[in-house]
């Protein structure tokens, strides 16, 4: 995953970092206030930047999340306060066991895990904050508020 110089904006508290195309960053940016799309690259910073990884619950998405978590853990990127990983469901219904196991494995490499189930209104283009995102929004607000 590359490193880039995205611009901070007023009112922004964290970066959404989609670890692959189609991860769901645009939808999260529209529905959970406070975050901004990092453009699929680690933000370069002179201080500390809060970052939330985002991946779909596919084998490809979870593999990309694992790679990003390894980059962060290795110290390859600096100035990053990794808040956690959001795994966005790629389909309705129960996730296959192999993918549930991969989510569990990747979650051990990040500080927090938030799982967003399938949200049918998103599929229909309705960018609203569904109840499925309430805990994510609450946690991110709490984690990024000045002490």
């Amino acid at each position: 995953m590359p490193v880039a110089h995205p611009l901070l904006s007023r009112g922004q508290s964290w970066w959404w970092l989609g670890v692959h195309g189609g991860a769901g960053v645009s939808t999260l940016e529209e529905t959970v206030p406070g975050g901004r799309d990092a453009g699929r690259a680690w933000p370069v910073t002179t201080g500390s930047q809060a970052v939330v990884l985002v991946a779909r619950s596919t084998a490809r998405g979870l593999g990309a999340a694992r790679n990003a978590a390894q980059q962060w853990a290795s110290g390859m990127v600096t100035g990053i306060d990794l808040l956690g990983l959001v795994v966005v469901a790629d389909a309705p219904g129960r996730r296959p066991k192999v993918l549930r196991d991969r989510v569990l494995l990747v979650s051990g490499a990040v500080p927090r895990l938030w799982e967003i189930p399938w949200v049918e209104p998103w599929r229909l283009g309705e960018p609203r904050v569904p109840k499925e995102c309430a805990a994510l929004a609450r946690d991110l607000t709490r984690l990024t508020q000045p002490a």
Side-chain angles (χ1 to χ4, degrees):
M1 181 163 306
V3 176
H5 291 274
L7 299 174
L8 293 172
S9 64
R10 179 172 277 242
Q12 175 192 338
S13 297
W14 66 85
W15 292 103
W16 297 112
L17 176 48
V19 297
H20 60 90
V25 168
S26 297
T27 300
L28 289 171
E29 185 177 26
E30 290 176 3
T31 59
V32 180
R36 183 157 178 221
D37 186 349
R40 291 185 33 206
W42 293 105
V44 173
T45 179
T46 55
S48 179
Q49 289 294 312
V51 172
V52 178
L53 301 177
V54 182
R56 286 282 177 188
S57 61
T58 62
R60 179 176 165 261
L62 296 171
R66 183 194 66 232
N67 290 342
Q70 288 173 337
Q71 287 177 351
W72 172 73
S74 73
M76 187 174 165
V77 290
T78 58
I80 300 297
D81 177 16
L82 184 61
L83 300 179
L85 167 66
V86 176
V87 175
V88 180
D90 66 309
R94 187 174 165 102
R95 198 174 291 140
K97 183 179 180 344
V98 66
L99 295 177
R100 288 193 315 265
D101 291 347
R102 287 185 189 182
V103 168
L104 186 62
L105 181 68
V106 174
S107 72
V110 294
R112 288 165 205 82
L113 171 70
W114 296 278
E115 294 185 71
I116 305 299
W118 182 258
V119 178
E120 190 65 24
W122 285 351
R123 185 178 193 202
L124 302 173
E126 299 172 20
R128 59 181 177 82
V129 181
K131 66 180 186 297
E132 294 86 354
C133 290
L136 170 63
R138 186 177 52 251
D139 289 351
L140 290 174
T141 298
R142 180 183 49 81
L143 289 166
T144 58
Q145 292 302 311

